[in-house]
Amino acid sequence: MPKEGFVTSITHQSENFPEWYNDVVLKAELADYSPVRGCMIIRPYGYAIWESMQAELDRLIKATGHSNVYFPLFVPKSLLEKEAEHVEGFNPQVAWVTHAGGKALDEWLAIRPTSEAIIADSVKDWIQSYRDLPLLMNLWNNVVRWELRTRLFLRTTEFLWQEAHTFHATEEEAADEVATGLECYRTVAEDWLGIPVIKGRKTDSEKFPGAEYTWTIETMMRDRKALQGGTSHMLGQNFARAAGIEFLDRDNIRKNPYGTSWGFTTRMVGATAMVHGDDSGLVLPPNVAPIQVVIVPIFRKDEEQAAVAEAIDRFCAMLAGTPEGKAVRVKVDWRDDSPGFKYNHWELRGVPFRLEIGPRDVAAGQGMLVKRVDRSKEAVPLDRLAAELPDRLRAYQVELFKRAVDFRAANTHAVDTYQQFKDGLDAEGGFFMAPWCGDAKCERQVNADTGATIRCIPFDSPAETGKCLVCGDSSERRVLFARAY
RNA sequence: CGGGGUGUGGCCUAGCGGCAAGGCACGUGCUUUGGGAGCACGAGAUCGUGGGUUCGAAUCCCACCGCCCCGACCA
């Protein structure tokens, strides 16, 4: 039940999960609606979360040998149309610039829905020899896809992302690159956002338009629905051939290079909210939390305030005494509001730890430390806390990840018959590992009957003979079915 | 794009042909502060937009737009 009459009350997850999500995003001030249909404004707190995962991913991308670059927002129509499957897949979602400078343009410009086409065209002169390969590039930018139905962070008409684009001399090298990209995403999702992922391959009907195959990380939200995290695509020679990229190989033969592309978006801000959040609001993993510890001073009289302030200053100085402690993001909330108000305010925003310091604590040289995720309270001597805080934040990060792993495990079911699958899906949803023959017809049938899709063919799904849920033909392994965002 | 819902100060809602109202939030002052404090004063509204009906429209009619939910499509 939302609390009546209080402006920041939020819908309970069990009542209406999508509404809960909206409440949290808006009221925790992650984002707001914009005057432009389907687009969003990312507010400071939400942008800080994005910047955190962005910085970590950027570090990983650079550590694996990629360089950041920039390509234009506009893609000439003729370039976008070079790769047949690509244009067919993206056409319904492309926004076009048809007029500029007060005149109709001779050639329409697409606002990039993704940059494969313009990059392939641009790099064809850069690649002459196998010595020019691999070419490992990454862009941080915005793209536009005209979506029919939008949701804050999860699907917006314009979104921010990273798109890596690489070119390789051999297919093997490109295949390794697809894995490298996906591993960057796994690392950010699991180690930084505390979101467990299932790595796998998309079915042909779910792969990127223009790709040979697509790898994905799939995640489970707290309403048990699936959300696709990052995807990594093997483009084969498709775009290179379409753009006419050729290089002279060691064997003195002209060849088309093999391409890959992989992307990770602001959607993951929404995922972070939906994986960890609860009825009080966000629950942020310390690594991405813009504020990791909020200190709430408590006092009545001026003398008490002075004593509390002094204790807080001393604590902050102690904390800053070590490099690790200095890196802890602390905020002291001196606003002229009641403590209870502040508790709710920061809980809504998912701050991992709250430290209450009042006159009684000052007298005892301690503080009341409250953990956001379970609201557990503990009186801790301030000098000890200053020393332990980095470790406690690390432990909190691990705890959130483990909690998410356990939740996913508890809601993942192996099913062998269509009836079991449908019953489970209707009962409470979740992930369903089930045999599938590999035929797109059966895949479509499941979607038509239940709304669920094959999220991926998990890499760690062992070979196991079975009978396809739908048609009963033989199946070699279980695949992951779920309803998805 | 189909079905349903909704739109009244920043937020939540009342009003449902006759002077736009209340709560929260906001500002000032005083008092307060260990789980959403109190009092006083104050500021803030083209009632989503455009047409129509009417002496008179937030209210009735039509159209459009936004947002939410459910579907189809998608990072």
Side-chain angles (χ1 to χ4, degrees), chain A residues 273-328:
Chain A
M274 290 203 297
V275 166
H276 302 298
D278 65 18
D279 286 343
S280 299
L282 291 175
V283 175
L284 292 177
N287 285 348
V288 273
I291 299 167
Q292 295 170 314
V293 182
V294 64
I295 300 177
V296 178
I298 291 156
F299 54 88
R300 284 166 199 276
K301 300 170 226 139
D302 289 351
E303 313 90 77
E304 288 177 346
Q305 177 172 1
V308 165
E310 200 197 319
I312 290 173
D313 286 349
R314 228 178 10 241
F315 171 75
C316 290
M318 270 190 289
L319 187 63
T322 64
E324 274 199 314
K326 199 171 182 176
V328 175

Side-chain angles (χ1 to χ4, degrees), chain A residues 44-311:
Chain A
Y45 198 65
Y47 204 82
I49 293 171
W50 170 240
E51 280 182 307
S52 167
M53 61 183 84
Q54 187 184 32
E56 177 62 8
L57 182 55
D58 193 61
R59 191 182 66 75
L60 290 166
I61 289 171
K62 285 173 179 158
T64 46
H66 305 78
S67 301
N68 282 342
V69 296
Y70 192 77
F71 283 83
L73 171 69
F74 302 116
V75 183
K77 188 165 187 283
S78 55
L79 292 189
L80 192 68
E81 288 176 343
K82 279 192 176 170
E83 211 292 325
E85 192 179 309
H86 188 64
V87 66
E88 193 194 332
F90 273 108
N91 233 348
Q93 288 189 279
V94 174
W96 294 101
V97 179
T98 61
H99 288 71
K103 291 193 296 194
L105 295 178
D106 290 340
E107 180 175 8
W108 286 10
L109 297 172
I111 299 177
R112 64 179 163 223
T114 178
S115 301
E116 277 77 5
I118 194 165
I119 288 179
D121 179 75
S122 306
V123 304
K124 65 175 185 286
D125 296 338
W126 307 352
I127 299 173
Q128 300 293 333
S129 149
Y130 71 93
R131 295 180 212 273
D132 296 326
L133 298 171
L135 180 58
L136 307 175
M137 300 181 291
N138 179 61
L139 294 83
W140 288 100
N141 63 18
N142 57 339
V143 292
V144 167
R145 298 183 186 176
W146 217 253
E147 298 288 351
L148 297 178
R149 183 172 161 201
T150 57
R151 297 160 78 74
L152 294 166
F153 286 110
L154 303 181
R155 179 167 301 102
T156 45
T157 299
E158 177 191 21
F159 58 89
L160 306 184
W161 75 343
Q162 154 279 125
E163 45 174 328
H165 294 269
T166 70
F167 296 87
H168 307 264
T170 68
E171 186 165 17
E172 295 68 40
E173 233 183 81
D176 286 348
E177 173 71 13
V178 171
T180 298
L182 200 72
E183 178 58 16
C184 287
Y185 296 159
R186 186 208 62 77
T187 306
V188 172
E190 296 197 336
D191 299 349
W192 207 252
L193 308 179
I195 300 174
V197 308
I198 292 175
K199 278 184 172 182
R201 177 180 168 145
K202 284 287 183 187
T203 63
D204 281 353
S205 49
E206 299 269 338
K207 76 176 170 66
F208 178 79
E212 298 286 324
Y213 59 82
T214 291
W215 285 7
T216 179
I217 53 172
E218 293 291 324
T219 63
M220 182 190 283
M221 305 296 104
R222 276 188 90 71
D223 63 352
R224 303 177 184 81
K225 283 172 76 171
L227 183 77
Q228 177 176 309
T231 44
S232 185
H233 316 292
M234 164 58 91
L235 303 177
Q237 295 170 303
N238 296 345
F239 286 90
R241 201 176 284 130
I245 311 175
E246 289 183 338
F247 70 97
L248 199 59
D249 208 349
R250 284 182 175 80
D251 54 12
N252 211 30
I253 296 174
R254 296 190 71 78
K255 298 173 182 173
N256 298 119
Y258 292 80
T260 81
S261 67
W262 27 289
F264 181 100
T265 79
T266 34
R267 159 180 279 189
M268 293 306 281
V269 176
T272 304
M274 290 203 297
V275 166
H276 302 298
D278 65 18
D279 286 343
S280 299
L282 291 175
V283 175
L284 292 177
N287 285 348
V288 273
I291 299 167
Q292 295 170 314
V293 182
V294 64
I295 300 177
V296 178
I298 291 156
F299 54 88
R300 284 166 199 276
K301 300 170 226 139
D302 289 351
E303 313 90 77
E304 288 177 346
Q305 177 172 1
V308 165
E310 200 197 319

Side-chain angles (χ1 to χ4, degrees), chain A residues 48 228 285 315 351 437 473:
Chain A
Q228 177 176 309
F315 171 75
V351 176
C437 63
D473 283 359

